[in-house]
Amino acid sequence: MSQTPYERVKLARSSGRPTGLDYINNIFKGFMEFHGDRCFGDDPAIVGGIARLNGSPVTVIAIEKGHTAKERAKRNFGAPHPEGYRKALRLMKQAEKFGRPVVCFIDTSGAYCGVGAEARGQGQAIAENLLEMSTLCVPVISILIGEGGSGGALALAVADRVWMLQNAVYSAISPEGCASILWKDAGQAESAAASLKLTAEDARSLGVIERILSENEIGQKPFYDRIRDLLDKEFQALSRDPDLVGGRYERFRRIGAV
């Protein structure tokens, strides 16, 4: 039996799913984490640094939720602050300077919406990521591994290729948030999920993503090996593209065209 959209949401939120650090530790070698945005501080909800993909240097950035309650509290439940997005952008600009491809792993219900985050420029930080990522001169691949919520996810998804795991979700708002706005009742989340077109199949049919990644053997070595090989092959193809920025521009211009 096929799963409903809201069942997909529940799977995407499951604490048993691999998190960003699981992908980093199992796909790449020699990961060296960098910290801080050189402006305010470090945000543990976003992990980033340099590593090797089948021997080649890459920049890796991941939104990290954690598994246990303690880990999730430390990582702010995967809800980044503006300094997290600024850290990510700093690493992407560094990657551009040294000619390294960038891979982003996305798993967030959305950017943190607290008073402190807003005071430190949450909206501006996200907007700057959207602008700067659109003109990066190195290949960028973003993979939605769980939740992809609102601008908090899009801030790391202005990429040459956007992929989703089979049970990941991607939407402008959470089903609960949508239901609260439309019906003043978060309990209508299941109905909202059915209307949001948030599944991987929906995203591919709309041209929002290019590839759906099977979750067969998820969390096991063959699963990570498969993603590693796909990333390596795709980066090799993108590195031969003489107009990455133009292709990226056209990719996003096509979304939503009638």
Side-chain angles (χ1 to χ4, degrees):
M1 181 185 294
S2 61
Q3 293 151 332
T4 67
Y6 197 56
E7 287 171 339
R8 292 283 187 93
V9 172
K10 291 178 179 178
L11 285 171
R13 293 172 174 171
S14 170
S15 61
R17 288 179 73 83
T19 65
L21 276 172
D22 294 321
Y23 287 86
I24 290 174
N25 292 331
N26 286 281
I27 292 175
F28 306 93
K29 300 292 185 184
F31 176 65
M32 180 183 295
E33 184 178 357
F34 293 169
H35 297 274
D37 66 343
R38 304 298 186 265
C39 181
F40 178 82
D42 187 49
D43 181 6
I46 292 187
V47 176
I50 57 175
R52 290 192 175 274
L53 175 67
N54 284 347
S56 299
V58 294
T59 290
V60 188
I61 299 165
I63 299 178
E64 172 64 23
K65 280 185 174 180
H67 289 289
T68 66
K70 185 176 181 180
E71 288 173 351
R72 291 199 164 202
K74 175 185 175 182
R75 304 288 181 179
N76 202 38
F77 299 88
H81 287 75
E83 49 270 23
Y85 292 114
R86 293 188 180 112
K87 172 171 65 174
L89 181 57
R90 178 174 72 83
L91 294 177
M92 286 187 276
K93 296 300 285 185
Q94 181 193 76
E96 182 178 49
K97 178 179 179 180
F98 292 103
R100 291 192 298 264
V102 177
V103 56
C104 300
F105 295 98
I106 299 166
D107 185 13
T108 181
S109 59
Y112 187 65
C113 57
V115 173
E118 296 297 334
R120 297 193 300 278
Q122 185 72 286
Q124 182 181 7
I126 291 173
E128 286 178 349
N129 275 35
L130 303 181
L131 174 65
E132 296 290 344
M133 286 187 76
S134 68
T135 60
L136 284 176
C137 294
V138 291
V140 184
I141 297 176
S142 295
I143 306 177
L144 290 114
I145 59 173
E147 286 186 277
S150 192
L154 185 60
L156 294 182
V158 182
D160 302 293
R161 301 288 185 270
V162 181
W163 300 345
M164 284 179 71
L165 262 67
Q166 184 179 345
N167 291 315
V169 295
Y170 196 16
S171 66
I173 190 171
S174 70
E176 293 81 6
C178 179
S180 296
I181 293 171
L182 293 182
W183 299 296
K184 312 299 182 186
D185 179 10
Q188 297 290 328
E190 187 167 359
S191 297
S195 302
L196 282 170
K197 302 292 185 183
L198 46 66
T199 68
E201 291 81 6
D202 290 328
R204 186 172 61 181
S205 69
L206 293 168
V208 174
I209 67 168
E210 282 75 33
R211 185 189 292 269
I212 298 174
L213 301 176
S214 168
E215 295 193 11
N216 289 342
E217 302 178 288
I218 187 169
Q220 299 178 42
K221 186 177 184 299
F223 171 78
Y224 294 117
D225 289 346
R226 187 168 68 248
I227 295 177
R228 180 190 305 112
D229 292 341
L230 287 171
L231 284 170
D232 191 21
K233 182 178 179 180
E234 197 66 41
F235 275 137
Q236 289 184 40
L238 288 169
S239 68
R240 295 190 291 269
D241 188 336
D243 187 19
L244 275 175
V245 175
R248 198 178 302 139
Y249 173 83
E250 291 299 331
R251 179 194 184 280
F252 282 92
R253 290 288 293 178
R254 286 193 298 269
I255 296 175
V258 178

